Amino acid sequence: MKAPDHFKTLFSPQDIQVMVEGLAEQVDKTLPAEEPVVCVGVLKGAWIFHADFCRALKRPVTVDFIRASSYGAGTSSSGVVRILKDIEVDVRNKHVLVVEEIVDSGRTLSFIKQRLEQAGAASVKVVALLDKKQRRAVPFQADFVGAEVGNHFVVGYGLDWGENYRTLPGIYIVPGEALH
Ligand code: IMP
Ligand code: MG
């Protein structure tokens, strides 16, 4: 699917590929060499990033998913995080990477990170493709970030607006006028 004309391209598919490969390289350098890792993708938005990122790592990967809700159908966070689908892999004594497409208020990831640490993981690091740093409601810092984005609403490459536009190939800014 092609993006509507009034959406502004923020990252092309090529830009995204460079970011994903760069992130995988950084992570590979940081974690002990050859050590297997459990990559927990945060559904649904991270599903495409997770698939690309996991395959770019040069180490054995176990794949799992978690689903939490902090957004409803709209564009702002409700402040309450609920687990809608929990992990299935036993993460005890394993290195875990939480793979998320965008950090906004920080609520979802601080909740998920804490939960995985409590589950007994040897380490929990967060890899975020995008980071809306200015929008934090709780203190939270991802360990690896692809790019910072301003206070825009973005779609594509897994990111949705009311469940639409996830399959757009790049990442696009939805103009503020269109959101209201
Ligand atoms: P947080 O708990 O507020 O950090 O929520 C982060 C989640 O909100 C992300 O994983 C996305 O699912 C969603 N989100 C935040 N900003 C955007 C955006 O600009 N476009 C689409 N989804 C977003
Ligand atoms: Mg998400």
Side-chain angles (χ1 to χ4, degrees):
M1 184 194 170
K2 197 179 151 292
D5 289 340
H6 63 295
F7 287 13
K8 185 171 164 271
T9 304
L10 185 60
F11 297 109
S12 68
Q14 292 74 20
D15 297 332
I16 297 170
Q17 194 185 342
V18 170
M19 285 197 280
V20 172
E21 283 167 7
L23 283 168
E25 205 178 309
Q26 279 181 54
V27 169
D28 269 327
K29 275 193 206 141
T30 309
L31 287 178
E34 312 282 316
E35 186 83 29
V37 75
V38 182
C39 280
V40 177
V42 185
L43 293 172
K44 299 180 198 176
W47 122 90
I48 298 179
F49 173 48
H50 183 257
D52 287 345
F53 172 79
C54 293
R55 290 178 298 166
L57 288 173
K58 295 193 174 71
R59 63 180 62 241
V61 173
T62 302
V63 165
D64 206 351
F65 294 96
I66 194 165
R67 182 154 186 228
S69 75
S70 82
Y71 270 36
T75 59
S76 66
S77 180
S78 68
V80 181
V81 182
R82 280 186 309 137
I83 297 290
L84 302 178
K85 184 226 165 286
D86 212 343
I87 51 163
E88 293 165 26
V89 163
D90 183 359
V91 296
R92 271 176 297 174
N93 305 318
K94 299 201 179 123
H95 293 288
V96 175
L97 293 170
V98 180
V99 182
E100 171 70 299
E101 78 290 1
I102 192 163
V103 193
D104 187 26
S105 72
R107 286 192 185 101
T108 311
L109 282 172
S110 39
F111 186 86
I112 288 174
K113 189 172 181 188
Q114 209 177 13
R115 193 174 174 96
L116 292 168
E117 279 164 352
Q118 282 163 357
S123 70
V124 182
K125 300 238 182 284
V126 174
V127 185
L129 181 64
L130 303 176
D131 190 354
K132 285 187 185 173
K133 267 222 165 95
Q134 316 158 18
R135 300 227 337 143
R136 286 298 188 283
V138 297
F140 179 82
Q141 176 67 56
D143 299 279
F144 305 92
V145 173
E148 282 184 30
V149 296
N151 190 9
H152 305 294
F153 196 78
V154 294
V155 294
Y157 195 67
L159 289 142
D160 74 308
W161 174 25
E163 291 302 327
N164 293 312
Y165 306 117
R166 290 193 196 274
T167 57
L168 297 182
I171 294 173
Y172 310 85
I173 295 174
V174 179
E177 317 86 80
L179 290 171
H180 304 292

